[in-house]
Amino acid sequence: MNRRAFNLGLFSAVAVTLLKPSQAQPKLRVNGGRINAHLAALSEFGKNPQGGVTRLAYSEADLQGRKYAMGLMREAKLEVSIDLAGNIVGRRAGSEAALPPLVIGSHIDSVPEGGNYDGDVGSMGAIEVAQTLAENNVKLRHSLEVLIFQNEEGGTIGSQLISGELPEKQLDLPANSGKTIREGIKILGGDPTRFAEARRKRGDIAAYLELHIEQGGILDTEKINIGVVEGIVGIMHWEVTIEGFANHAGTTPMNKRRDALLAAAKFIEAVNRVVTSIPGRQVGNVGKIQALPGAYNVIPGKVVLSLELRDLDSAKVEAMFGKIRVEAASIAESTGTLFDFKQTSVSYPALTDERIRRLIDETAKGIGLSTKQLPSGAGHDAQEMARLGPVGMIFVPSVGGISHSPREFSRPEDIVNGGNVLLQTLLKLDTMRLR
């Protein structure tokens, strides 16, 4: 039996009967069978032979998935529109019009040959929460917005546009589908000529909550039900160029070489040594490398490689980079090469709101679920929404820690747990003063 069939077989087992409106809201629960059925249906758009999806932003599969999501939002009694940035917005008015909205959501676009859970769990979970509230005639004080962000996998484009952090020049860069972001926004129904009007300012939202799969293996390994996200790590990228001297590989003695690739190999090992020498959960990676001129019989005269460092603490990232620069200088001296570092992108850490973290933790434990506080090593739309107001993130386990792969899998019961924590946390947030 394949995983898709296995999921469908479990839907009836994890279904949760909806409570009547007359019952107390703390006992309100999402419909587990429905949320998992919606996930299975969404996975049909862009499905690939490997069992996952290739639903690239601005592709036909993306458009079909968005149409499906909008249909579900209307069924959940939300007023659905496309904002100027191309994000899908589902809104229901609250009882106190002066209050800023509570926002929940995620994304549905995927990486090439991705899985069926990254982004989808948070998006379908948010819609399910809205439908549960509607079916039980629960009206919040705050207006509710369900946001399905466009092109999260291409660099949190939709959320960057509304937070005001996307430079105009980036609109002309290609997305994974090959279309430019500017073209993509038009395809989705937004207007790139008015993207400045799409921006929101701090205080325009009361809070943002995002349900997501962990994408790592901590919760699954430790058998923890719910991850309470401390924050989303900062990510810094550099392009590292190493200049040596290209020469004949057969006639140049080993002790007379200025081998840029040998220097690169030493550098990669040094990156790993520096990152692992410091206590904590920081990570570093060299994921791309090009040796030139690239021939069997030519000593590499130039190497271009990538360097990525991530941590919740920007100061720690800077400290690691400083140590790596010292190592590079030593390698350059011993190999007769030159190193040049060009920073290509910076994404600063975004801590989640302490009050919301505490609320998620208490809510999960209150319905009998175990919790663990942990950082998010991956970027999320919550990172951009933190510029607009307090944010919180809820993680559910990823089996084996696998993500961005057709083998990505979260158990149906874990998804239901996450949906219930999202629902109950939202209800409690609605009663709080967040400013």
Side-chain angles (χ1 to χ4, degrees):
M1 180 182 294
N2 62 31
R3 180 158 286 164
R4 194 184 304 274
F6 176 71
N7 283 350
L8 291 168
L10 278 177
F11 290 156
S12 60
V14 297
V16 179
T17 304
L18 286 168
L19 300 168
K20 295 180 180 179
S22 60
Q23 292 179 279
Q25 285 186 20
K27 295 183 180 179
L28 205 61
R29 295 291 183 268
V30 299
N31 184 320
R34 183 168 59 199
I35 186 174
N36 281 291
H38 288 165
L39 278 168
L42 181 61
S43 71
E44 293 296 311
F45 303 108
K47 68 179 179 180
N48 56 44
Q50 295 85 4
V53 293
T54 297
R55 193 163 53 240
L56 307 180
Y58 318 137
S59 67
E60 182 60 31
D62 185 33
L63 291 173
Q64 292 172 353
R66 285 166 58 92
K67 182 179 179 181
Y68 174 71
M70 287 188 282
L72 296 181
M73 293 164 86
R74 294 187 182 99
E75 290 176 15
K77 303 297 189 291
L78 295 167
E79 295 180 7
V80 182
S81 61
I82 306 295
D83 70 11
L84 293 171
N87 301 308
I88 304 171
V89 183
R91 185 178 175 89
R92 182 182 303 129
S95 61
E96 299 182 30
L99 294 176
L102 288 168
V103 184
I104 55 178
S106 193
H107 66 98
I108 62 169
D109 66 295
S110 81
V111 297
E113 295 189 14
N116 300 320
Y117 301 87
D118 177 7
D120 297 358
V121 167
S123 297
M124 297 298 101
I127 294 171
E128 174 57 34
V129 164
Q131 187 160 3
T132 299
L133 295 176
E135 289 176 344
N136 288 274
N137 299 314
V138 176
K139 189 166 188 176
L140 303 178
R141 293 170 58 237
H142 297 77
S143 294
L144 174 66
E145 283 190 13
V146 175
L147 268 176
I148 309 297
F149 295 101
Q150 61 106 338
N151 197 6
E152 190 272 353
E153 296 294 1
T156 59
I157 299 301
S159 52
Q160 280 201 63
L161 280 166
I162 65 172
S163 70
E165 289 301 310
L166 192 78
E168 171 84 26
K169 62 183 180 181
Q170 198 166 337
L171 293 178
D172 294 312
L173 295 179
N176 287 332
S177 62
K179 301 176 179 68
T180 67
I181 294 169
R182 192 183 300 274
E183 291 169 338
I185 292 172
K186 291 180 183 177
I187 290 168
L188 299 182
D191 187 345
T193 68
R194 299 170 59 197
F195 92 107
E197 298 175 47
R199 294 175 181 169
R200 304 192 193 188
K201 62 182 184 299
R202 187 160 190 86
D204 282 353
I205 67 170
Y208 174 71
L209 283 176
E210 184 169 357
L211 171 65
H212 208 280
I213 61 171
E214 183 193 350
Q215 297 183 273
I218 294 173
L219 298 178
D220 185 49
T221 299
E222 298 184 15
K223 310 302 180 189
I224 302 292
N225 300 125
I226 295 292
V228 183
V229 179
E230 298 167 313
I232 300 148
V233 298
I235 307 171
M236 296 191 182
H237 288 170
W238 291 265
E239 181 180 87
V240 184
T241 302
I242 306 170
E243 295 280 359
F245 187 80
N247 209 342
H248 197 296
T251 61
T252 308
M254 299 299 287
N255 63 349
K256 300 294 184 181
R257 300 180 181 216
R258 293 165 55 195
D259 188 335
L261 188 54
L262 176 62
K266 292 175 181 288
F267 175 78
I268 293 168
E269 188 279 329
V271 169
N272 184 72
R273 180 161 29 85
V274 167
V275 173
T276 57
S277 70
I278 304 169
R281 293 176 290 197
Q282 69 282 343
V283 296
N285 188 56
V286 175
K288 185 170 66 172
I289 186 168
Q290 181 183 24
L292 300 169
Y296 277 94
N297 59 350
V298 181
I299 298 163
K302 180 178 180 179
V303 168
V304 180
L305 54 81
S306 64
L307 171 62
E308 177 186 88
L309 299 174
R310 301 187 184 211
D311 194 70
L312 268 181
D313 183 352
S314 290
K316 182 183 281 189
V317 173
E318 293 290 355
M320 287 191 294
F321 180 62
K323 292 183 178 182
I324 289 169
R325 289 292 299 263
V326 171
E327 293 282 347
S330 176
I331 294 166
E333 184 176 358
S334 67
T335 58
T337 58
L338 295 173
F339 278 73
D340 178 69
F341 292 82
K342 178 184 177 183
Q343 190 163 56
T344 55
S345 69
V346 179
S347 176
Y348 293 104
L351 297 178
T352 54
D353 187 87
E354 184 179 356
R355 298 162 298 173
I356 299 179
R357 287 201 300 271
R358 186 165 55 247
L359 189 59
I360 293 169
D361 186 69
E362 292 170 354
T363 298
K365 288 176 179 173
I367 56 179
L369 302 174
S370 56
T371 67
K372 182 182 181 71
Q373 296 216 7
L374 74 171
S376 171
H380 298 287
D381 291 305
Q383 194 161 7
E384 304 305 326
M385 295 299 284
R387 305 177 194 279
L388 306 179
V391 302
M393 284 199 75
I394 301 160
F395 275 174
V396 295
S398 294
V399 174
I402 299 170
S403 185
H404 282 188
S405 161
R407 294 174 58 200
E408 178 180 270
F409 181 60
S410 288
R411 299 177 186 88
E413 58 268 29
D414 288 326
I415 294 166
V416 177
N417 286 340
N420 282 323
V421 174
L422 178 65
L423 170 63
Q424 288 299 320
T425 302
L426 178 72
L427 289 170
K428 292 175 183 177
L429 271 178
D430 189 50
T431 68
M432 293 174 59
R433 182 184 294 272
L434 290 166
R435 294 189 175 187

